Amino acid sequence: MKQKTNSFKSLISEVRALKQNHNPLPLFNDLHIDALDADYQFTTSLQTLHLVSRTIENSLKAHKHRSVLYSGFQVLSHFTDYIERYARLAKYAKEIYIIGVADTKIGHIADNVHIVTKNAYTVRDNWISIVTDGNMHSALIAEECAAPNAHKYDGFYTNSEVVTEKAIKILTENGTLSKDIEYGEQKSLF
């Protein structure tokens, strides 16, 4: 049986129905009517995804020591180029969770930066950047699509509290953010 590696596929479809068709019906089971008041922007542009990810990360500076950042890197080797950046961001964050399948070892970055590998395969096909602090909610959720000789992503970014909280709930329910998170205890799958 193939492991589920795209936990956000249905959320992306639901938000697309809301945005494109102005049809909130698929969302009513899981989301509150407040989801209608938020802004949703879809993109397939890698440049836009990078820009929005950076903007979400940089928002930590405006809300010093109150915000929690969740960043998905698919595999930890994708994170290695960003270690210094996240060490600087840690000075502003309440907590930072780096989520990725353990294909390399990441050393200690800061006491509030946690390397999460348990069940990271469930978001391996996603690009995620989420920040929340109780008052501010921003999320970028994208899925990797099959593209010959390149990475292609399709997803959205939003300021919706409801959708941001649902994304965190997905991470919790699929066991990625369970009580037994493996902080720094990385086990290679290779």
Side-chain angles (χ1 to χ4, degrees):
M1 182 168 142
K2 186 178 176 191
Q3 291 178 327
K4 184 177 180 182
T5 60
N6 186 347
S7 293
F8 293 100
K9 188 168 201 61
S10 63
L11 180 62
I12 293 168
S13 296
E14 291 169 358
V15 172
R16 181 171 273 108
L18 176 66
K19 173 77 175 172
Q20 291 179 342
N21 304 321
H22 303 288
N23 177 11
L25 290 177
L27 300 174
F28 282 144
N29 290 338
D30 297 321
L31 297 179
H32 191 272
I33 195 72
D34 291 340
L36 299 174
D37 292 335
D39 188 28
Y40 304 93
Q41 298 298 320
F42 275 82
T43 188
T44 58
S45 164
L46 285 175
Q47 289 178 322
T48 301
L49 291 168
H50 280 287
L51 175 67
V52 172
S53 287
R54 285 239 168 183
T55 302
I56 288 172
E57 294 164 358
N58 287 339
S59 70
L60 293 171
K61 296 175 184 178
H63 303 275
K64 293 180 182 161
H65 308 292
R66 294 192 326 240
S67 300
V68 178
L69 174 66
Y70 306 88
S71 290
F73 281 89
Q74 296 180 318
V75 293
L76 292 181
S77 59
H78 292 174
F79 174 67
T80 58
D81 290 340
Y82 299 93
I83 291 173
E84 289 181 27
R85 174 170 169 67
Y86 275 76
R88 289 188 303 272
L89 288 171
K91 296 173 187 171
Y92 302 101
K94 180 177 178 181
E95 302 288 335
I96 296 176
Y97 296 92
I98 305 301
I99 304 164
V101 173
D103 66 336
T104 190
K105 179 79 172 163
I106 304 294
H108 181 268
I109 298 168
D111 289 342
N112 61 339
V113 177
H114 312 290
I115 306 301
V116 180
T117 60
K118 185 172 180 69
N119 296 326
Y121 68 88
T122 64
V123 295
R124 185 177 182 146
D125 292 336
N126 296 111
W127 183 327
I128 58 173
S129 186
I130 302 168
V131 71
T132 184
D133 78 352
N135 296 316
M136 177 189 63
H137 307 278
S138 297
L140 176 146
I141 307 292
E143 61 182 328
E144 187 171 15
C145 305
N149 303 321
H151 290 291
K152 182 177 179 195
Y153 292 88
D154 184 26
F156 66 91
Y157 52 98
T158 184
N159 62 343
S160 168
E161 176 181 358
V162 173
V163 171
T164 300
E165 292 300 323
K166 183 169 183 185
I168 294 168
K169 182 178 176 184
I170 289 169
L171 290 172
T172 302
E173 287 178 350
N174 71 21
T176 303
L177 297 178
S178 66
K179 290 181 181 175
D180 43 317
I181 291 173
E182 298 175 0
Y183 296 112
E185 295 296 316
Q186 303 157 37
K187 298 173 185 160
S188 178
L189 298 178
F190 307 100

